[in-house]
Amino acid sequence: MTRASLDKQPHEVASMFDNVAERYDLTNDVLSLGQDRRWRKEVARAVDARPAQKILDLAAGTATSSLPFVQAGAYVVPCDFSLGMLQVGKRRNSWLPFTAGDATRLPFKDDTFDAVTISFGLRNVQDFDAGLREMYRVTRPGGRVVICEFSHPTWAPFRTVYTEYLMRALPPVARAVSSNPEAYVYLAESIRAWPDQPALASRLREAGWAKVAWRNLTGGVVTLHRGFKE
């Protein structure tokens, strides 16, 4: 299996990420023209991790996204359902408590974490409404969720250019730098099929999250959504 289809069968998605694990961070850096570093800094600011807080980093992959929370003094659990990604992460940062887990059936007790965050992973969850409910379940009252995900550019002319980049330029670039370029065809298709900003905010509210808000990054190419558990 080299890529997943848009019905997002969990075994297909996990296998696809297993196959790209070794060069995943490098490929993302190239394909985003270095913007992924800025996006992850914005995630860290939004999560606002504090010493002794417990942070769940879902779809953490190799745990690149987890390190800023560790540096803030928080206890961080990187969780992913791709064993290949977790194995690469464990080789790089063996001291982190890597955990294998499905976002729709998280292996944690209710009200465990001060914050739950997921970057560029919610889009790959087969039933992401169930995922949003699970994130709510494992977050303590007063805690928060921060979701960083590809979205829909707000300026129509740029949106057209961006869509053309996704479907025409991204696959050839991926072939040059990725160990599994077909996975990035799925990436482009899944971004185009993803709900826009107001639609995702509505789904968060339906899952129980309160004070839901979002902020666009890079003109809406990526959006940060945040909510709280009252």
Side-chain angles (χ1 to χ4, degrees):
M1 178 59 63
T2 57
R3 59 161 288 186
S5 55
L6 285 183
D7 63 0
K8 303 174 190 174
Q9 293 297 317
H11 67 281
E12 292 183 359
V13 177
S15 176
M16 182 187 71
F17 280 102
D18 289 346
N19 291 335
V20 300
E22 289 290 348
R23 304 185 70 183
Y24 181 73
D25 295 320
L26 170 64
T27 304
N28 286 348
D29 201 29
V30 172
L31 294 178
S32 70
L33 307 177
Q35 285 295 298
D36 64 316
R37 299 179 192 182
R38 177 190 164 225
W39 298 333
R40 293 191 186 282
K41 287 180 181 178
E42 293 299 329
V43 172
R45 290 193 186 99
V47 172
D48 192 24
R50 303 294 176 88
Q53 286 188 335
K54 293 180 179 178
I55 310 294
L56 175 60
D57 187 12
L58 281 178
T62 62
T64 298
S65 57
S66 305
L67 296 178
F69 311 131
V70 175
Q71 293 163 0
Y75 175 78
V76 184
V77 178
C79 181
D80 203 293
F81 72 166
S82 165
L83 296 181
M85 296 287 274
L86 293 173
Q87 287 165 358
V88 171
K90 194 69 174 176
R91 288 203 306 269
R92 296 176 182 174
N93 298 288
S94 60
W95 46 274
L96 282 171
F98 287 91
T99 302
D102 184 336
T104 64
R105 296 184 300 275
L106 292 172
F108 307 107
K109 294 180 180 179
D110 296 358
D111 306 333
T112 298
F113 296 97
D114 295 283
V116 177
T117 183
I118 182 168
S119 294
F120 310 110
L122 188 62
R123 196 184 67 261
N124 300 315
V125 178
Q126 184 181 37
D127 182 354
F128 77 85
D129 290 307
L132 293 174
R133 292 192 296 270
E134 274 291 271
M135 293 177 211
Y136 185 87
R137 178 183 68 78
V138 302
T139 301
R140 68 165 180 80
R144 59 209 178 277
V145 66
V146 174
I147 297 167
C148 181
E149 190 52 89
F150 290 108
S151 195
H152 295 251
T154 54
W155 189 44
F158 176 60
R159 186 162 58 242
T160 301
V161 172
Y162 174 65
T163 302
E164 289 296 310
Y165 167 75
L166 282 177
M167 300 312 298
R168 296 190 182 186
L170 188 148
V173 173
R175 278 194 289 274
V177 295
S178 173
S179 55
N180 181 11
E182 284 299 309
Y184 289 86
V185 177
Y186 159 81
L187 171 71
E189 293 174 348
S190 65
I191 291 172
R192 292 210 309 176
W194 188 243
D196 65 10
Q197 291 89 325
L200 182 55
S202 177
R203 306 285 271 273
L204 275 159
R205 294 186 191 98
E206 290 171 8
W209 296 99
K211 300 178 183 176
V212 173
W214 74 81
R215 179 162 61 92
N216 291 317
L217 304 176
T218 317
V221 168
V222 164
T223 300
L224 286 178
H225 278 79
R226 185 166 61 182
F228 293 85
K229 181 173 180 175
E230 293 186 330

